[in-house]
Amino acid sequence: MAYCYTFPHPAVTTDIVVFTIIDDRLKVLLVERVTPPFQGHWALPGGFLQLHENLDGCARRELAEKTDLTDLYLEQLYTFGRIDRDPRERVITVAYMALVRACNAPLRPDSGEPRTCWFPVKTLPRLAFDHQEIIQLAHQRLLAKSRYSTIALQLLPAQFTLGELQKVYEIIQDETLDKRNFRKWVLSIQCLRETGEVRRKAGRRPAKLYEPQRRETVEFIR
Amino acid sequence: MAYCYTFPHPAVTTDIVVFTIIDDRLKVLLVERVTPPFQGHWALPGGFLQLHENLDGCARRELAEKTDLTDLYLEQLYTFGRIDRDPRERVITVAYMALVRACNAPLRPDSGEPRTCWFPVKTLPRLAFDHQEIIQLAHQRLLAKSRYSTIALQLLPAQFTLGELQKVYEIIQDETLDKRNFRKWVLSIQCLRETGEVRRKAGRRPAKLYEPQRRETVEFIR
DNA sequence: GCAAAAGTGTTATCCCTACACCCATGA
DNA sequence: TCATGGGTGTAGGGATAACACTTTTGC
């Protein structure tokens, strides 16, 4: 009990909702809890803030440690602080949303502890703490931002076809989109550039490859 | 030093950006600091989280204690946690935005300590901590939400004229609006109801009074 | 030649914007 | 009667939504 204060302090954690698209479905990364509370339940990756790191630094460190994910888009989501959300002590968690390109989403070898797994957003297991609520909010935010920002590009590799991009939007928004209107819209917002290359696939007409104008930034549109 | 932990804990505070409209200007409530650090500087109202209260409960308690404001609209804004944002110790602050109707915005009597004052958003004094940055973000959020929600109604009393409502939008958005287009828009979004009453003013045609359909809730539109 | 996705335009509708005059009142 | 804000409609332009066929390829 080496850390003492003149008034009570809560613990602070970050938890991260990492989305990716695998098998044409939106998935969330979960980690199996190996210690109480909620031992054996699935939970969001995350952990306690260290006093020498910033909040987003904590989120990135926890992801690197627990899931080996290092290069992803991260944004703060909301801070959850219900009094009884953790039975051990008062814990405030700053929740983040992250997006990772499917190709960069390898999972830790099965032997590794703790176990990690991608779950479809639509069929989540029973979750630890209030993590169900956090994921729901992140899902809403992703849906909303896909309509007025270039956030969806963070789910695709450096180069992609318009068909692949449309598929990402259809998965996020859970509805089919008109091909001609989608292409008109996405090309009109000045966020893409033709690479000059094509992707060839057996039995199909080759598709032009595109890349983001500014890969690292998520921009608001309209 | 009665509160001890096995690993270091940051302190957690809430800070609240309270907006109101006075003299046709958007104003923010500030409190003068009477103790170090930043003694004598102006700061946002706020303070340390107690372990038996929720985050928004903390915000409401601090407002009631420091400013006597009790009935207002409150929403979480963002969580700020830069390592060196407070020289005393590591402090994470969960920032809130609040809106109060001008008629409900009395100030604590001058004799009271600490001093509080409404400052125009456009001419803020030098602020303590990172409160300048917090206010800037809150201001952006208010502007954005005025365009796609009914948040602006929280700045008006129970009944108001369309002219008064338009004025609120013009102050928030810092631009003049077309009267006919504004009225068409605001009546089309189904958030207002005629009260049947009018407001009479000397030398003017009486204006119909309106009230929100659902006073307590902020709704998304479009 | 066939399956499978790539690629491409036009039309109708809705929404937003711009814009100017009369009305009701109290002094 | 005058000053002051209250109240009202229309027309044009731009964005959105609906909709179907041809192209290119590998097998």
Side-chain angles (χ1 to χ4, degrees), chain B residues 16-31:
Chain B
I16 309 100
V17 184
V18 191
F19 289 112
T20 198
I21 290 178
I22 298 173
D23 298 335
D24 288 346
R25 288 198 293 179
L26 186 64
K27 303 212 177 184
V28 180
L29 187 61
L30 298 178
V31 179

Side-chain angles (χ1 to χ4, degrees), chain A:
Chain A
M1 289 297 199
Y3 302 96
C4 298
Y5 306 89
T6 56
F7 61 97
H9 283 44
V12 171
T13 61
T14 62
D15 286 305
I16 309 100
V17 184
V18 191
F19 288 112
T20 198
I21 290 178
I22 297 173
D23 298 336
D24 287 346
R25 289 198 292 179
L26 187 63
K27 302 211 176 185
V28 180
L29 187 61
L30 297 178
V31 178
E32 194 177 27
R33 287 190 59 81
V34 294
T35 55
F38 295 100
Q39 185 167 12
H41 285 63
W42 292 94
L44 291 172
F48 290 98
L49 177 73
Q50 297 177 7
L51 298 197
H52 57 77
E53 66 190 355
N54 285 318
L55 289 165
D56 61 337
C58 174
R60 288 189 191 279
R61 177 183 54 73
E62 289 288 347
L63 280 180
E65 286 177 13
K66 293 216 170 62
T67 71
D68 298 335
L69 292 173
T70 53
D71 189 30
L72 36 63
Y73 170 77
L74 193 69
E75 73 172 47
Q76 191 182 304
L77 181 64
Y78 195 80
T79 297
F80 294 81
R82 228 185 49 223
I83 291 174
D84 58 353
R85 58 180 299 282
D86 191 313
R88 292 167 293 185
E89 65 174 320
R90 183 73 193 277
V91 179
I92 308 300
T93 193
V94 183
Y96 280 80
M97 172 169 80
L99 302 183
V100 61
R101 307 164 210 282
C103 56
N104 294 344
L107 283 188
R108 174 166 298 221
D110 268 345
S111 59
E113 283 280 314
R115 283 164 58 201
T116 60
C117 190
W118 292 103
F119 284 84
V121 172
K122 288 185 163 183
T123 58
L124 292 175
R126 185 171 296 253
L127 292 170
F129 307 105
D130 50 4
H131 289 185
Q132 165 72 43
E133 189 186 344
I134 298 175
I135 292 173
Q136 191 180 325
L137 184 68
H139 191 186
Q140 283 172 21
R141 179 99 130 234
L142 175 62
L143 174 62
K145 287 197 96 156
S146 73
R147 297 185 192 278
Y148 64 82
S149 81
T150 59
I151 199 170
L153 297 178
Q154 300 294 326
L155 288 165
L156 283 167
Q159 302 198 340
F160 47 84
T161 69
L162 294 186
E164 290 162 353
L165 181 58
Q166 180 173 344
K167 192 87 206 192
V168 167
Y169 275 88
E170 289 178 335
I171 291 166
I172 293 175
Q173 297 177 9
D174 199 22
E175 61 189 0
T176 59
L177 301 172
D178 179 85
K179 188 172 21 163
R180 280 167 296 186
N181 290 338
F182 177 78
R183 292 158 105 92
K184 245 180 302 175
W185 173 76
V186 80
L187 292 176
S188 76
I189 61 176
Q190 307 279 313
C191 66
L192 297 184
R193 180 170 47 212
E194 283 190 31
T195 66
E197 312 277 304
V198 294
R199 165 159 306 155
R200 298 180 173 277
K201 269 199 170 177
R204 284 180 219 170
R205 177 172 174 175
K208 287 185 193 169
L209 283 170
Y210 291 80
E211 61 192 3
Q213 294 271 9
R214 294 158 292 276
R215 180 119 192 273
E216 302 307 329
T217 60
V218 168
E219 287 156 11
F220 293 90
I221 53 196
R222 176 185 338 196

